[in-house]
Amino acid sequence: MVDMKGTQLIHEYLRHNKKFPHVFCAGCGHGIVLGSLIRAIHGLGLKKDEVCVVAGIGCSGRLAAYVDFNTVHTTHGRALTFATGIKMAKPGMHVIVVMGDGDSMAIGGNHLIHAARRNIGVTALILNNNIYGMTGGQCSPTTPSGSFSMTTPLGQMEQSFDCVELCTAAKANYVARGTVFHVKKLDKMIMEGISNPGFGVVEILTPCHTQYGRKNKYKTPVDMYKMLKKDVIDIERYNKLSEADKAAKTPAGVFVQKDESGLEEKFYEMAARCQGGV
Amino acid sequence: MSVKRKGNSTVTIFPDWCKGCGICAAFCPAKVMELNDQGKAVVLREEECINCGFCELHCPDFAIMVRPKVNDEIPAVCRAVLEKAARKPKTAASDGAAEKAGSGKQKG
């Protein structure tokens, strides 16, 4: 399995007894994230048994069913709590949480900020498609202000969450934002997120043309990918822009990278100290 | 490292897995693929492929494989997918049309 690459490699990690092609809409970015996750895990040289993928509810929740790792499909918004338990019980396991934007920032918003505050050593992939895709296109906390959805037919009036700033403020160890158009960078970010100690967050912008795009002038998947290509730029280039230009663009890249040890490391160190009778 | 040279790679598409989103056809720099009348991607100009790997990385359904031409052996896992597609009886489009035509004649 060493010299494999591309699709051949991905097919090796899939559960072929599941029904393929997968359930995602044609052109949905979730499939690309799945491929990227597999390449990242293969790139780090992890064994299948060393990895645990935890998923919540939503379109992204289906992702865990297709990969041949230890997988848990959990309740809505509570994926991080299950992951915290798994990581505390088995600190050697690489726990990766796959959540959608509604899963992580609406119903599981508290779990996200407290997992970041605790600095538990799991990696959260937040698949942000700006909408509740599976349930019919209701607006989510990340639907941009002014855009349209099934429940905001005249335009969203509320402000939207910025996942990166939220996690940075909650003191996560690793915060990055990638897109499904810039796949090679995404591979690298997921690899860094997994290998970095402490809580890692990778926000991934994935397009949902079925629910979000058709209400917002991006009718085909290709339109949405072109939008990602045009509007998402690297953080260094973004910082050089004037304030007026910044409004139309979204920065991507690595925002925070710290080396503090995670909660599980501190806990087992403490346990060893107590048992040693110091 | 991939060698970016024309005509040195083969592009395989698994028709069963392709959902026809059109990302590969729209973004391919050498315009190797196009969507056919069923909306699925087909390889038309394989000799133009520069082995950039865009389609392979961006296919959400893992339905495209780009390999160097020298290594002709298709791996076992991927071969199983292709064989399954070949074993399947002719799709409803052609059979269904024939049946309908037949029944119409009987009624008439």
Side-chain angles (χ1 to χ4, degrees), chain A residues 230 232-241 246 249:
Chain A
K230 192 170 135 268
V232 181
I233 56 171
D234 203 63
I235 175 76
E236 286 163 8
R237 270 182 64 202
Y238 180 81
N239 286 337
K240 286 176 192 162
L241 292 179
K246 275 183 183 177
K249 303 281 181 190

Side-chain angles (χ1 to χ4, degrees), chain A residues 5 8, chain B residues 8-11 51 66-73:
Chain A
K5 67 187 201 85
Q8 188 182 344
Chain B
N8 277 353
S9 39
T10 49
V11 185
N51 195 14
V66 184
R67 287 169 304 130
K69 239 175 197 164
V70 281
N71 180 13
D72 254 343
E73 198 193 340

Side-chain angles (χ1 to χ4, degrees), chain A residues 158-234:
Chain A
E158 302 161 8
Q159 294 178 41
S160 63
F161 256 141
D162 187 331
C163 175
V164 165
E165 285 185 16
L166 182 71
C167 296
T168 308
K171 296 187 178 157
N173 242 6
Y174 182 86
V175 183
R177 181 189 281 138
T179 78
V180 291
F181 188 82
H182 309 92
V183 177
K184 291 236 162 141
K185 282 183 187 168
L186 182 62
D187 286 6
K188 210 175 150 199
M189 281 172 200
I190 298 177
M191 275 168 88
E192 280 178 355
I194 295 171
S195 55
N196 211 50
F199 190 63
V201 182
V202 184
E203 186 197 6
I204 304 162
L205 304 178
T206 87
C208 177
H209 66 282
T210 312
Q211 301 290 5
Y212 181 79
R214 71 187 166 124
K215 299 241 173 219
N216 294 283
K217 295 179 187 165
Y218 305 109
K219 288 213 167 141
T220 64
V222 175
D223 290 341
M224 297 229 63
Y225 284 87
K226 280 183 180 159
M227 182 268 287
L228 282 181
K229 186 183 178 184
K230 192 170 135 268
D231 286 356
V232 181
I233 56 171
D234 203 63

Side-chain angles (χ1 to χ4, degrees), chain A residues 7 11 16 22 24 27 181, chain B residues 19 56 58 60-62 64 77:
Chain A
T7 305
H11 280 227
H16 282 270
H22 48 52
F24 307 123
F181 188 82
Chain B
K19 288 181 192 156
E56 204 174 21
H58 288 79
D61 301 302
F62 319 124
I64 305 177
V77 186

Side-chain angles (χ1 to χ4, degrees), chain A residues 91-112:
Chain A
M93 186 85 87
H94 295 272
V95 184
I96 297 157
V97 187
V98 182
M99 296 181 289
D101 52 334
D103 206 16
S104 64
M105 275 173 277
I107 190 165
N110 253 323
H111 299 304
L112 179 70

Side-chain angles (χ1 to χ4, degrees), chain A residues 77-92:
Chain A
R78 293 348 174 210
L80 272 170
T81 60
F82 285 85
T84 306
I86 293 166
K87 187 70 185 179
M88 290 304 275
K90 279 191 170 289

